[in-house]
């Protein structure tokens, strides 16, 4: 996820709370419990409010399909395993990512209040959604949140033919005193798969070094591109491999090795994650910490802006401002996505919200 400017006009504007209620109703009809449906819809609307449409309400029809096909478990038996106060593993039993990772974030915060630092691994979940949401929830409690995710290989690896590793994301949220929290939320890919699909549909050439053909040959032709290339070449591919070790391998649910084996089950869709909560109070005065974060961010913003820059911004600042604006004006939903939501509503017998 990256900071996104206010979207183009022409989209359907839906009040945020109405969109949450509508999304939750659809997901509940899709099989989730009321609590899990609300949690999942909350993650989607959070992303949409911040202008990250790829992780927003456009995901709801896809999740309904995952539930209908049984890829996502509508009634998961989620279990927490722990042998030490500062660490735990949450077995999601193929629960939707928003359900599993929200629970993991809450658990990490609870443990970190006692231990100073706590980590919760998540295994066997299905599509984590916007990982920035979970670390942001940790930051809302005054703690630093760090998260990693590993998924199915869909990205090139330097020196390898074809898809080798996943576009595994990293997110860090740091609370501040008066500024919006710093939120760094990035994938290890140069470009998102969704951007490749959009370029394919519009025929727009892709940036150099952003995507590749099936055999790993870099291309700017969207008609030939099938996968993204790692961010920074060896840096992005190395980070993705490291995240596989820090999540999948650490929690005993390897994805990479199984995917590239002869076992057909190795290609069964799944994701793993690791969330870390750090309590600043374990290192000194928590108020002094957030005040120093504020001073750091203010210092950055006071630096001279480049001639062609709109200003100096820290990670998450602009998307936080977009979220505030959209809380007042409504969340823009692309016409195609709105049609898909209405079609799902008609099929499932859900009444859509009345638009202003």
């Amino acid at each position: 996820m990256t900071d996104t400017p206010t979207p183009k006009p022409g989209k359907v504007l839906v009040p945020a709370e109405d969109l949450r209620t509508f999304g939750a109703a659809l997901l509940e009809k899709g099989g989730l419990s009321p609590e899990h449906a609300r949690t999942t819809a909350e993650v989607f609307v959070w992303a949409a409010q911040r202008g990250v449409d790829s992780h927003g309400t456009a995901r709801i029809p896809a999740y309904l399909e995952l539930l209908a096909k049984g890829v996502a478990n509508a009634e998961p038996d989620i279990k927490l395993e722990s042998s030490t106060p500062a660490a735990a593993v949450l077995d999601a039993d193929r629960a939707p990512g928003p359900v599993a990772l929200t629970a993991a974030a809450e658990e990490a915060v609870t443990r970190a209040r006692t231990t100073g630092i706590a980590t919760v691994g998540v295994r066997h979940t299905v599509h984590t959604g916007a990982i920035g949401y979970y670390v942001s929830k940790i930051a809302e409690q005054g703690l630093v949140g760090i998260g990693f995710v590993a998924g199915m290989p869909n990205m090139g690896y330097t020196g390898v033919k074809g898809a080798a590793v996943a576009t595994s994301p990293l997110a860090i949220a740091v609370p501040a005193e008066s500024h919006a929290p710093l939120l760094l939320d990035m994938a290890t890919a140069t470009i998102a798969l969704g951007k490749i699909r959009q370029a394919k549909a519009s025929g727009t050439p892709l940036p150099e070094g952003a995507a590749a053909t099936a055999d790993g040959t870099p291309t700017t032709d969207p008609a030939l591109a099938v996968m993204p290339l790692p961010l920074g070449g060896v840096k992005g591919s190395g980070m993705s491999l490291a995240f596989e070790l820090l999540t999948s391998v650490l929690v005993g649910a390897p994805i990479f090795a199984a995917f590239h084996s002869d076992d057909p089950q190795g290609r069964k869709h799944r994701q793993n994650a690791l969330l870390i909560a750090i309590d600043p109070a374990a290192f000194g005065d928590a108020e002094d910490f957030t005040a120093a974060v504020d001073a750091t961010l203010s210092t950055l913003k006071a630096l001279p802006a480049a001639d062609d820059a709109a200003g100096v911004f820290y990670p998450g600042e602009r998307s936080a401002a977009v979220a505030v604006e959209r809380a007042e004006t409504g969340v823009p939903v692309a016409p195609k996505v709105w049609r898909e939501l209405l079609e799902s509503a008609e099929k499932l017998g859900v009444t859509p919200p009345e638009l202003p």
Side-chain angles (χ1 to χ4, degrees), residues 55-118:
H55 289 68
T57 48
R59 290 287 184 179
I60 292 177
Y63 266 60
L64 291 173
E65 187 174 348
L66 289 174
L67 290 164
K69 291 181 176 179
V71 176
N73 188 355
E75 300 178 347
D77 181 16
I78 299 174
K79 296 177 180 177
L80 192 70
E81 305 168 4
S82 178
S83 59
T84 180
V89 175
L90 187 149
D91 192 309
D93 190 29
R94 295 183 295 107
V99 173
L101 269 75
T102 296
E106 293 171 353
E107 184 68 25
V109 168
T110 298
R111 289 173 179 260
R113 295 288 190 202
T114 301
T115 59
I117 301 175

Side-chain angles (χ1 to χ4, degrees), residues 47-48 87 95 98 116 122 128 139 166 170 179 213 219 238 244 255 258 277 293 296 340 344:
V122 178
T128 52
L170 157 71
H179 288 289
T213 61
T219 181
E244 164 71 4
I255 293 176
V293 171
T296 302
E340 290 175 347
S344 296

